[in-house]
Amino acid sequence: MGSLQMLFGLLLLIAASAFDTTSKPGCPDRCGNVSIPYPFGIKEGCSRKGFDLVCNDTYTPPKLFWAGVFEILKITLEGQANVHTYVASDCYNETGSTESNHPFMSLGIHGPFTFSNTGNKFTAIGCDTQAYITASYGSNFTTGCMSFCGGNVSVIDGLCTGIGCCQTSIPQGAWGFRIKVNSSHNHSGLLDFNPCSHAFLIADDQFKFSKSDLSARSKYNRDPAGNYKEVPVVLDWAIWNETCEQAKKNRTAYACKGFSTCYDSTNGPGYRCNCSNGYEGNPYLELEGGCKGTVSSLLFVFIVGSWLYWGLKKRKLLQLKEKFFRQNGGLLLQQQITSHRVGATIKIFSAEELERATNNYHETRIIGRGGYGTVYKGILPDHTIVAIKKSKIVDETQIEQFINEVFILSQIIHRNVVKLLGCCLETQVPLLVYEFISNGTLSDHIHDETHSSSLSLENRLRIASETAGALSYLHFATSIPIFHRDVKSANILLDENLTAKVADFGASRLVPLDQTQITTLVQGTLGYLDPEYFHTGQLTEKSDVYSFGVVLVELLTGEKPICMNRSQEERSLSMYFVTSLKEQRLFQVLENRIVDEGDVDQLVAVAELAKRCLKVKGEERPSMKEVAMELEGLRRAVEHPWVQQNLEETQTLLGETSECYNENGSVIGQDSLTNHTMSALEIGR
Ligand SMILES: *[C@@H]1O[C@H](CO)[C@@H](O)[C@H](O)[C@H]1NC(C)=O
Ligand SMILES: *[C@@H]1O[C@H](CO)[C@@H](O)[C@H](O)[C@H]1NC(C)=O
Ligand SMILES: *[C@@H]1O[C@H](CO)[C@@H](O)[C@H](O)[C@H]1NC(C)=O
Ligand SMILES: *[C@@H]1O[C@H](CO)[C@@H](O)[C@H](O)[C@H]1NC(C)=O
Ligand SMILES: *[C@@H]1O[C@H](CO)[C@@H](O)[C@H](O)[C@H]1NC(C)=O
Ligand SMILES: *[C@@H]1O[C@H](CO)[C@@H](O)[C@H](O)[C@H]1NC(C)=O
Ligand SMILES: *[C@@H]1O[C@H](CO)[C@@H](O)[C@H](O)[C@H]1NC(C)=O
Ligand SMILES: *[C@@H]1O[C@H](CO)[C@@H](O)[C@H](O)[C@H]1NC(C)=O
Ligand SMILES: *[C@@H]1O[C@H](CO)[C@@H](O)[C@H](O)[C@H]1NC(C)=O
Ligand SMILES: *[C@@H]1O[C@H](CO)[C@@H](O)[C@H](O)[C@H]1NC(C)=O
Ligand SMILES: *[C@@H]1O[C@H](CO)[C@@H](O)[C@H](O)[C@H]1NC(C)=O
Ligand SMILES: *[C@@H]1O[C@H](CO)[C@@H](O)[C@H](O)[C@H]1NC(C)=O
């Protein structure tokens, strides 16, 4: 935004310099706050001959002078300038004349300046006043006016018509004048309200007569320091001293350049120039600074400026994107995709697409926050809802690893693993796009008060079984084993049908086939962390088994993995659970609902499985494959115990547990969709 303002500033400046200050290019364009248009100039080579001014820097602000004495207050390209001239006074007291001055001013006979005959009036103030102005314009010409008044009352503010005040015009072409002011009766009889006469040449629009101008404290009196008062005067200037017709004969000397026209001065000899219709600029300058087509030129500058600005900005953005893309391993990924010919499974999103999908990463779109980064809900143009994970800064050295994981994950197609749809590498941190799982985390469902009772034992066992299946798949069925490294209830998502989806592979590691363990920086979540891994730093597939064991215990007990309310030794859920088992207190630690819904043998079996997962020594733990198979078996037994019973028992069992089943009827119906259940039901019938 800053640079946009800069651009507009620049454009304004260009516009301003084109139509306001129009000094010769490369020349100082102002003295103090007075701008100096060419043909005037204050440096050698910056002005036309005879148009040089002096800028005196000893004043603050610096003052601009003509002929060393006239301070120029303003110059316009339209042929005018402003200066000050002195007031003539003639004063009396009872004993006679006390003061009399007759100022003389000359702008120079060969100079470009003349006193404007239309912009100024010769003005006299007083009640016993005769004022004369002798103007020089080749010959001398004297004119003047007289002013009288029959006392204070006859004078009217604002009226300068001979009563207390009189005015007259001056002739054309005057480059100098002398003013004389005199009285007929030495102001006798008037001294109390009008002791002085004043006369001066003044800019028409700067004068307004007032009664107080007559008094002893008139503003036209000398100041306390004794200096004569000055009044503003308008000057005309012209290119001296030929007419247009004469001037055009000598093209080198002719002042009107480019698209300009010439017109004769109406105030003395000389001519001036104007830009032709539709052009603006300085008619006395060639090309740069000279007359230009106005609207189109401004538009042109604007369009070119904008084009350059946006072009540069876009280019910079593109460069940045490309840099991030490289930095994030985009090329590596592209290479992988092309070489493996499976590009269809992962889409590379552009930064804009995801910005649009998340409403520019709006706060309201945040659905999760954690050590890994932030997860946003996104809506793609085809109305697909996705979860977009904005990772924390990725260590550059891990880029290759990261890309590998993205690539591997993109190929995992498992019902219980959150599907990675694509990624975006144009941003500083890589963005991952996942399918959107609507019903929150398992942790929420187990621990959040509002969900606590919603998960039946059956659902819990199914979720455990699904999770175990997914982990088993990751460990054994992918082309390169993947250790999840952060298995926990918060990383197991549930969809609308409460189907488990293992998520967050931010910490996951690919393990080359010839290795069964790798040494890494210990990473994981407290309460789920494999103690053996914690002590040795040796990551094996059994670390995930341990963490899964904790999740299983969470599902059985409804307790959190770390609980400060328990005694020191039992603070960790795994310790607490194992101790309880050892002390035969299993049914005291299980969640009530589980005890109510479960079959003692099955519950004990699941608890024993959990206990084995939680073995301190990794090698004593079952593999994820075993766990998955065992859970699947247990689950089937819990759901449909009659399969393993004889038919008579089946009837009684069905009768006994029908209430339970009715309660969860919908869940059975849903589960019946799975292949195993179907066959089990068919066998049962
Ligand atoms: C120049 O500055 C003075 C005082 O700083 C101000 O009164 C005057 O109007 C300014 N003139 C122009 C042309 O800006
Ligand atoms: C500037 O003004 C000062 C004071 O009026 C004067 O002494 C000096 O000579 C002037 N300088 C120029 C270059 O005119
Ligand atoms: C009149 O003015 C003169 C000169 O300024 C002075 O000497 C004289 O005292 C004044 N007379 C009166 C009556 O004020
Ligand atoms: C005009 O007046 C000035 C001074 O008042 C004088 O020097 C000059 O000679 C006069 N010129 C003519 C042509 O009378
Ligand atoms: C002013 O006018 C008086 C007579 O009214 C005359 O005597 C005197 O010389 C005049 N002074 C000047 C400077 O013209
Ligand atoms: C005005 O005063 C002057 C002297 O200052 C004197 O010579 C003259 O006679 C006076 N005129 C009148 C009309 O008083
Ligand atoms: C002029 O007359 C007004 C009243 O009409 C009065 O207030 C003022 O003081 C008088 N001015 C002088 C200079 O006598
Ligand atoms: C212009 O000025 C020159 C002297 O600088 C003079 O010889 C010439 O006659 C003037 N021309 C006109 C048209 O006034
Ligand atoms: C035209 O003007 C230039 C510059 O003022 C001068 O040097 C030249 O002699 C002039 N030419 C004619 C033909 O008057
Ligand atoms: C989440 O699951 C519960 C239990 O099955 C269900 O009642 C609820 O509607 C689900 N919520 C959403 C948003 O699907
Ligand atoms: C949930 O189950 C219903 C009915 O079985 C099915 O139509 C729907 O697609 C399932 N939803 C998901 C996300 O699998
Ligand atoms: C169960 O799945 C297997 C392959 O996964 C298939 O061969 C079998 O027909 C399926 N059984 C039923 C009942 O759908």
mmCIF file of all heavy atoms in Angstrom, residues 159-196:
data_model
loop_
_atom_site.group_PDB
_atom_site.id
_atom_site.type_symbol
_atom_site.label_atom_id
_atom_site.label_comp_id
_atom_site.label_asym_id
_atom_site.label_seq_id
_atom_site.Cartn_x
_atom_site.Cartn_y
_atom_site.Cartn_z
ATOM 1 N N LEU A 159 -16.482 53.200 0.541
ATOM 2 C CA LEU A 159 -16.701 54.034 -0.639
ATOM 3 C C LEU A 159 -15.509 54.943 -0.873
ATOM 4 O O LEU A 159 -15.163 55.763 -0.029
ATOM 5 C CB LEU A 159 -17.960 54.891 -0.474
ATOM 6 C CG LEU A 159 -19.282 54.249 -0.881
ATOM 7 C CD1 LEU A 159 -20.390 55.312 -0.835
ATOM 8 C CD2 LEU A 159 -19.202 53.655 -2.284
ATOM 9 N N CYS A 160 -14.865 54.784 -2.049
ATOM 10 C CA CYS A 160 -13.705 55.609 -2.367
ATOM 11 C C CYS A 160 -14.051 56.465 -3.574
ATOM 12 O O CYS A 160 -13.677 56.156 -4.696
ATOM 13 C CB CYS A 160 -12.495 54.719 -2.626
ATOM 14 S SG CYS A 160 -10.959 55.645 -2.720
ATOM 15 N N THR A 161 -14.879 57.531 -3.326
ATOM 16 C CA THR A 161 -15.422 58.301 -4.429
ATOM 17 C C THR A 161 -15.167 59.795 -4.290
ATOM 18 O O THR A 161 -15.931 60.608 -4.787
ATOM 19 C CB THR A 161 -16.939 58.061 -4.524
ATOM 20 O OG1 THR A 161 -17.506 58.312 -3.241
ATOM 21 C CG2 THR A 161 -17.259 56.649 -4.950
ATOM 22 N N GLY A 162 -14.096 60.143 -3.574
ATOM 23 C CA GLY A 162 -13.766 61.565 -3.467
ATOM 24 C C GLY A 162 -14.021 62.164 -2.104
ATOM 25 O O GLY A 162 -13.559 63.252 -1.792
ATOM 26 N N ILE A 163 -14.750 61.443 -1.254
ATOM 27 C CA ILE A 163 -14.993 61.917 0.101
ATOM 28 C C ILE A 163 -14.106 61.122 1.059
ATOM 29 O O ILE A 163 -14.378 59.982 1.375
ATOM 30 C CB ILE A 163 -16.475 61.771 0.495
ATOM 31 C CG1 ILE A 163 -17.357 62.514 -0.514
ATOM 32 C CG2 ILE A 163 -16.706 62.278 1.912
ATOM 33 C CD1 ILE A 163 -18.836 62.258 -0.351
ATOM 34 N N GLY A 164 -12.985 61.746 1.409
ATOM 35 C CA GLY A 164 -12.028 61.085 2.294
ATOM 36 C C GLY A 164 -11.139 60.116 1.560
ATOM 37 O O GLY A 164 -10.126 59.650 2.086
ATOM 38 N N CYS A 165 -11.496 59.783 0.330
ATOM 39 C CA CYS A 165 -10.739 58.783 -0.436
ATOM 40 C C CYS A 165 -11.020 58.995 -1.906
ATOM 41 O O CYS A 165 -12.171 59.244 -2.291
ATOM 42 C CB CYS A 165 -11.170 57.385 -0.016
ATOM 43 S SG CYS A 165 -10.421 56.045 -0.972
ATOM 44 N N CYS A 166 -9.961 58.935 -2.725
ATOM 45 C CA CYS A 166 -10.188 59.011 -4.162
ATOM 46 C C CYS A 166 -9.274 58.061 -4.901
ATOM 47 O O CYS A 166 -8.239 57.661 -4.374
ATOM 48 C CB CYS A 166 -9.993 60.451 -4.658
ATOM 49 S SG CYS A 166 -8.296 61.036 -4.506
ATOM 50 N N GLN A 167 -9.709 57.637 -6.102
ATOM 51 C CA GLN A 167 -8.915 56.687 -6.888
ATOM 52 C C GLN A 167 -8.892 57.096 -8.341
ATOM 53 O O GLN A 167 -9.825 57.738 -8.840
ATOM 54 C CB GLN A 167 -9.511 55.288 -6.785
ATOM 55 C CG GLN A 167 -9.220 54.604 -5.475
ATOM 56 C CD GLN A 167 -9.619 53.137 -5.506
ATOM 57 O OE1 GLN A 167 -10.663 52.809 -6.063
ATOM 58 N NE2 GLN A 167 -8.794 52.309 -4.919
ATOM 59 N N THR A 168 -7.829 56.702 -9.041
ATOM 60 C CA THR A 168 -7.785 56.918 -10.484
ATOM 61 C C THR A 168 -6.916 55.839 -11.113
ATOM 62 O O THR A 168 -6.120 55.205 -10.414
ATOM 63 C CB THR A 168 -7.244 58.328 -10.827
ATOM 64 O OG1 THR A 168 -7.345 58.530 -12.236
ATOM 65 C CG2 THR A 168 -5.810 58.497 -10.409
ATOM 66 N N SER A 169 -7.145 55.630 -12.399
ATOM 67 C CA SER A 169 -6.368 54.613 -13.102
ATOM 68 C C SER A 169 -5.035 55.176 -13.527
ATOM 69 O O SER A 169 -4.861 56.398 -13.599
ATOM 70 C CB SER A 169 -7.120 54.140 -14.339
ATOM 71 O OG SER A 169 -8.296 53.491 -13.948
ATOM 72 N N ILE A 170 -4.113 54.288 -13.826
ATOM 73 C CA ILE A 170 -2.819 54.739 -14.331
ATOM 74 C C ILE A 170 -2.733 54.355 -15.803
ATOM 75 O O ILE A 170 -3.451 53.480 -16.263
ATOM 76 C CB ILE A 170 -1.636 54.135 -13.542
ATOM 77 C CG1 ILE A 170 -1.668 52.603 -13.608
ATOM 78 C CG2 ILE A 170 -1.638 54.624 -12.095
ATOM 79 C CD1 ILE A 170 -0.345 51.979 -13.200
ATOM 80 N N PRO A 171 -1.858 55.026 -16.554
ATOM 81 C CA PRO A 171 -1.754 54.711 -17.997
ATOM 82 C C PRO A 171 -1.084 53.358 -18.235
ATOM 83 O O PRO A 171 -0.454 52.802 -17.347
ATOM 84 C CB PRO A 171 -0.896 55.852 -18.528
ATOM 85 C CG PRO A 171 -0.084 56.289 -17.363
ATOM 86 C CD PRO A 171 -0.940 56.107 -16.161
ATOM 87 N N GLN A 172 -1.248 52.869 -19.481
ATOM 88 C CA GLN A 172 -0.611 51.608 -19.868
ATOM 89 C C GLN A 172 0.900 51.775 -19.981
ATOM 90 O O GLN A 172 1.387 52.851 -20.299
ATOM 91 C CB GLN A 172 -1.129 51.170 -21.237
ATOM 92 C CG GLN A 172 -2.587 50.774 -21.247
ATOM 93 C CD GLN A 172 -3.054 50.403 -22.658
ATOM 94 O OE1 GLN A 172 -2.265 50.416 -23.604
ATOM 95 N NE2 GLN A 172 -4.331 50.115 -22.789
ATOM 96 N N GLY A 173 1.575 50.671 -19.733
ATOM 97 C CA GLY A 173 3.009 50.618 -20.031
ATOM 98 C C GLY A 173 3.918 51.325 -19.053
ATOM 99 O O GLY A 173 5.090 51.540 -19.346
ATOM 100 N N ALA A 174 3.402 51.689 -17.896
ATOM 101 C CA ALA A 174 4.236 52.414 -16.932
ATOM 102 C C ALA A 174 5.249 51.480 -16.283
ATOM 103 O O ALA A 174 4.883 50.473 -15.693
ATOM 104 C CB ALA A 174 3.353 53.074 -15.872
ATOM 105 N N TRP A 175 6.498 51.799 -16.397
ATOM 106 C CA TRP A 175 7.542 50.976 -15.763
ATOM 107 C C TRP A 175 8.115 51.676 -14.544
ATOM 108 O O TRP A 175 8.967 51.140 -13.839
ATOM 109 C CB TRP A 175 8.657 50.621 -16.745
ATOM 110 C CG TRP A 175 9.138 51.814 -17.562
ATOM 111 C CD1 TRP A 175 8.727 52.155 -18.811
ATOM 112 C CD2 TRP A 175 10.070 52.799 -17.151
ATOM 113 N NE1 TRP A 175 9.334 53.304 -19.232
ATOM 114 C CE2 TRP A 175 10.173 53.722 -18.224
ATOM 115 C CE3 TRP A 175 10.830 53.027 -15.999
ATOM 116 C CZ2 TRP A 175 11.016 54.842 -18.152
ATOM 117 C CZ3 TRP A 175 11.668 54.139 -15.959
ATOM 118 C CH2 TRP A 175 11.747 55.030 -17.028
ATOM 119 N N GLY A 176 7.624 52.941 -14.279
ATOM 120 C CA GLY A 176 8.092 53.682 -13.116
ATOM 121 C C GLY A 176 7.106 54.770 -12.767
ATOM 122 O O GLY A 176 6.242 55.111 -13.570
ATOM 123 N N PHE A 177 7.177 55.275 -11.561
ATOM 124 C CA PHE A 177 6.293 56.383 -11.185
ATOM 125 C C PHE A 177 6.872 57.153 -9.995
ATOM 126 O O PHE A 177 7.718 56.655 -9.258
ATOM 127 C CB PHE A 177 4.880 55.895 -10.867
ATOM 128 C CG PHE A 177 4.795 54.969 -9.670
ATOM 129 C CD1 PHE A 177 4.809 55.484 -8.362
ATOM 130 C CD2 PHE A 177 4.695 53.592 -9.829
ATOM 131 C CE1 PHE A 177 4.722 54.634 -7.272
ATOM 132 C CE2 PHE A 177 4.607 52.752 -8.736
ATOM 133 C CZ PHE A 177 4.625 53.263 -7.454
ATOM 134 N N ARG A 178 6.405 58.411 -9.867
ATOM 135 C CA ARG A 178 6.672 59.207 -8.689
ATOM 136 C C ARG A 178 5.338 59.710 -8.163
ATOM 137 O O ARG A 178 4.476 60.087 -8.960
ATOM 138 C CB ARG A 178 7.584 60.392 -9.029
ATOM 139 C CG ARG A 178 7.897 61.284 -7.841
ATOM 140 C CD ARG A 178 8.726 62.485 -8.251
ATOM 141 N NE ARG A 178 10.076 62.098 -8.669
ATOM 142 C CZ ARG A 178 11.075 61.846 -7.827
ATOM 143 N NH1 ARG A 178 10.884 61.915 -6.506
ATOM 144 N NH2 ARG A 178 12.272 61.541 -8.283
ATOM 145 N N ILE A 179 5.168 59.705 -6.843
ATOM 146 C CA ILE A 179 3.908 60.135 -6.251
ATOM 147 C C ILE A 179 4.158 61.405 -5.445
ATOM 148 O O ILE A 179 5.151 61.503 -4.718
ATOM 149 C CB ILE A 179 3.320 59.040 -5.344
ATOM 150 C CG1 ILE A 179 2.952 57.791 -6.164
ATOM 151 C CG2 ILE A 179 2.069 59.552 -4.597
ATOM 152 C CD1 ILE A 179 2.479 56.625 -5.345
ATOM 153 N N LYS A 180 3.269 62.352 -5.602
ATOM 154 C CA LYS A 180 3.318 63.548 -4.775
ATOM 155 C C LYS A 180 1.967 63.693 -4.108
ATOM 156 O O LYS A 180 0.936 63.454 -4.739
ATOM 157 C CB LYS A 180 3.591 64.790 -5.626
ATOM 158 C CG LYS A 180 5.024 64.921 -6.032
ATOM 159 C CD LYS A 180 5.254 66.246 -6.739
ATOM 160 C CE LYS A 180 6.715 66.345 -7.189
ATOM 161 N NZ LYS A 180 6.942 67.577 -7.971
ATOM 162 N N VAL A 181 1.977 64.125 -2.842
ATOM 163 C CA VAL A 181 0.707 64.369 -2.155
ATOM 164 C C VAL A 181 0.864 65.665 -1.351
ATOM 165 O O VAL A 181 1.901 65.915 -0.747
ATOM 166 C CB VAL A 181 0.285 63.165 -1.292
ATOM 167 C CG1 VAL A 181 1.313 62.793 -0.248
ATOM 168 C CG2 VAL A 181 -1.079 63.387 -0.647
ATOM 169 N N ASN A 182 -0.150 66.520 -1.404
ATOM 170 C CA ASN A 182 -0.074 67.846 -0.781
ATOM 171 C C ASN A 182 -1.439 68.212 -0.230
ATOM 172 O O ASN A 182 -2.428 67.556 -0.524
ATOM 173 C CB ASN A 182 0.392 68.872 -1.842
ATOM 174 C CG ASN A 182 1.058 70.076 -1.212
ATOM 175 O OD1 ASN A 182 0.998 70.267 0.013
ATOM 176 N ND2 ASN A 182 1.684 70.906 -2.036
ATOM 177 N N SER A 183 -1.501 69.222 0.566
ATOM 178 C CA SER A 183 -2.788 69.677 1.109
ATOM 179 C C SER A 183 -3.024 71.126 0.686
ATOM 180 O O SER A 183 -2.081 71.831 0.338
ATOM 181 C CB SER A 183 -2.794 69.582 2.625
ATOM 182 O OG SER A 183 -2.000 70.596 3.173
ATOM 183 N N SER A 184 -4.260 71.584 0.712
ATOM 184 C CA SER A 184 -4.569 72.969 0.398
ATOM 185 C C SER A 184 -4.477 73.826 1.647
ATOM 186 O O SER A 184 -4.065 74.964 1.598
ATOM 187 C CB SER A 184 -5.990 73.110 -0.162
ATOM 188 O OG SER A 184 -6.285 72.059 -1.015
ATOM 189 N N HIS A 185 -4.876 73.275 2.802
ATOM 190 C CA HIS A 185 -4.978 74.087 4.017
ATOM 191 C C HIS A 185 -4.246 73.491 5.192
ATOM 192 O O HIS A 185 -4.620 73.710 6.340
ATOM 193 C CB HIS A 185 -6.461 74.302 4.384
ATOM 194 C CG HIS A 185 -7.261 74.913 3.279
ATOM 195 N ND1 HIS A 185 -8.088 74.157 2.455
ATOM 196 C CD2 HIS A 185 -7.341 76.194 2.812
ATOM 197 C CE1 HIS A 185 -8.637 74.934 1.557
ATOM 198 N NE2 HIS A 185 -8.200 76.197 1.743
ATOM 199 N N ASN A 186 -3.223 72.727 4.936
ATOM 200 C CA ASN A 186 -2.425 72.108 6.012
ATOM 201 C C ASN A 186 -3.293 71.324 7.014
ATOM 202 O O ASN A 186 -2.958 71.212 8.170
ATOM 203 C CB ASN A 186 -1.623 73.169 6.782
ATOM 204 C CG ASN A 186 -0.589 73.858 5.900
ATOM 205 O OD1 ASN A 186 -0.392 73.475 4.755
ATOM 206 N ND2 ASN A 186 0.053 74.870 6.443
ATOM 207 N N HIS A 187 -4.460 70.768 6.515
ATOM 208 C CA HIS A 187 -5.392 69.974 7.330
ATOM 209 C C HIS A 187 -5.934 70.768 8.518
ATOM 210 O O HIS A 187 -6.373 70.186 9.496
ATOM 211 C CB HIS A 187 -4.730 68.672 7.842
ATOM 212 C CG HIS A 187 -4.559 67.652 6.773
ATOM 213 N ND1 HIS A 187 -5.248 66.474 6.745
ATOM 214 C CD2 HIS A 187 -3.752 67.627 5.671
ATOM 215 C CE1 HIS A 187 -4.866 65.762 5.687
ATOM 216 N NE2 HIS A 187 -3.955 66.462 5.022
ATOM 217 N N SER A 188 -5.879 72.141 8.390
ATOM 218 C CA SER A 188 -6.358 72.936 9.518
ATOM 219 C C SER A 188 -7.850 72.704 9.721
ATOM 220 O O SER A 188 -8.612 72.603 8.766
ATOM 221 C CB SER A 188 -6.056 74.431 9.286
ATOM 222 O OG SER A 188 -6.541 74.824 8.024
ATOM 223 N N GLY A 189 -8.240 72.563 10.966
ATOM 224 C CA GLY A 189 -9.627 72.258 11.303
ATOM 225 C C GLY A 189 -9.953 70.780 11.237
ATOM 226 O O GLY A 189 -11.026 70.343 11.640
ATOM 227 N N LEU A 190 -9.042 69.998 10.701
ATOM 228 C CA LEU A 190 -9.290 68.556 10.557
ATOM 229 C C LEU A 190 -8.317 67.724 11.389
ATOM 230 O O LEU A 190 -8.434 66.499 11.463
ATOM 231 C CB LEU A 190 -9.117 68.123 9.088
ATOM 232 C CG LEU A 190 -9.915 68.866 8.026
ATOM 233 C CD1 LEU A 190 -9.366 68.545 6.644
ATOM 234 C CD2 LEU A 190 -11.383 68.490 8.128
ATOM 235 N N LEU A 191 -7.340 68.425 11.959
ATOM 236 C CA LEU A 191 -6.224 67.724 12.599
ATOM 237 C C LEU A 191 -6.662 66.675 13.615
ATOM 238 O O LEU A 191 -6.009 65.645 13.756
ATOM 239 C CB LEU A 191 -5.294 68.750 13.270
ATOM 240 C CG LEU A 191 -4.450 69.587 12.295
ATOM 241 C CD1 LEU A 191 -3.730 70.706 13.040
ATOM 242 C CD2 LEU A 191 -3.450 68.707 11.566
ATOM 243 N N ASP A 192 -7.824 66.925 14.286
ATOM 244 C CA ASP A 192 -8.226 65.969 15.321
ATOM 245 C C ASP A 192 -8.626 64.618 14.750
ATOM 246 O O ASP A 192 -8.399 63.589 15.348
ATOM 247 C CB ASP A 192 -9.360 66.541 16.189
ATOM 248 C CG ASP A 192 -10.545 66.999 15.340
ATOM 249 O OD1 ASP A 192 -10.318 67.266 14.114
ATOM 250 O OD2 ASP A 192 -11.663 67.067 15.856
ATOM 251 N N PHE A 193 -9.185 64.597 13.532
ATOM 252 C CA PHE A 193 -9.519 63.264 13.001
ATOM 253 C C PHE A 193 -8.808 62.922 11.709
ATOM 254 O O PHE A 193 -8.852 61.790 11.253
ATOM 255 C CB PHE A 193 -11.041 63.075 12.880
ATOM 256 C CG PHE A 193 -11.649 63.744 11.670
ATOM 257 C CD1 PHE A 193 -11.801 63.038 10.494
ATOM 258 C CD2 PHE A 193 -12.085 65.057 11.739
ATOM 259 C CE1 PHE A 193 -12.373 63.646 9.381
ATOM 260 C CE2 PHE A 193 -12.642 65.659 10.636
ATOM 261 C CZ PHE A 193 -12.797 64.976 9.447
ATOM 262 N N ASN A 194 -8.097 63.858 11.092
ATOM 263 C CA ASN A 194 -7.353 63.516 9.883
ATOM 264 C C ASN A 194 -6.114 64.403 9.734
ATOM 265 O O ASN A 194 -6.124 65.392 9.004
ATOM 266 C CB ASN A 194 -8.253 63.654 8.659
ATOM 267 C CG ASN A 194 -7.513 63.352 7.361
ATOM 268 O OD1 ASN A 194 -7.590 64.112 6.396
ATOM 269 N ND2 ASN A 194 -6.786 62.257 7.334
ATOM 270 N N PRO A 195 -5.030 64.014 10.393
ATOM 271 C CA PRO A 195 -3.812 64.828 10.323
ATOM 272 C C PRO A 195 -2.961 64.548 9.086
ATOM 273 O O PRO A 195 -2.053 65.315 8.794
ATOM 274 C CB PRO A 195 -3.055 64.444 11.586
ATOM 275 C CG PRO A 195 -3.484 63.037 11.874
ATOM 276 C CD PRO A 195 -4.888 62.899 11.359
ATOM 277 N N CYS A 196 -3.217 63.473 8.389
ATOM 278 C CA CYS A 196 -2.328 63.061 7.284
ATOM 279 C C CYS A 196 -3.099 62.816 6.002
ATOM 280 O O CYS A 196 -4.243 62.374 6.016
ATOM 281 C CB CYS A 196 -1.606 61.772 7.624
ATOM 282 S SG CYS A 196 -0.287 61.935 8.833
#
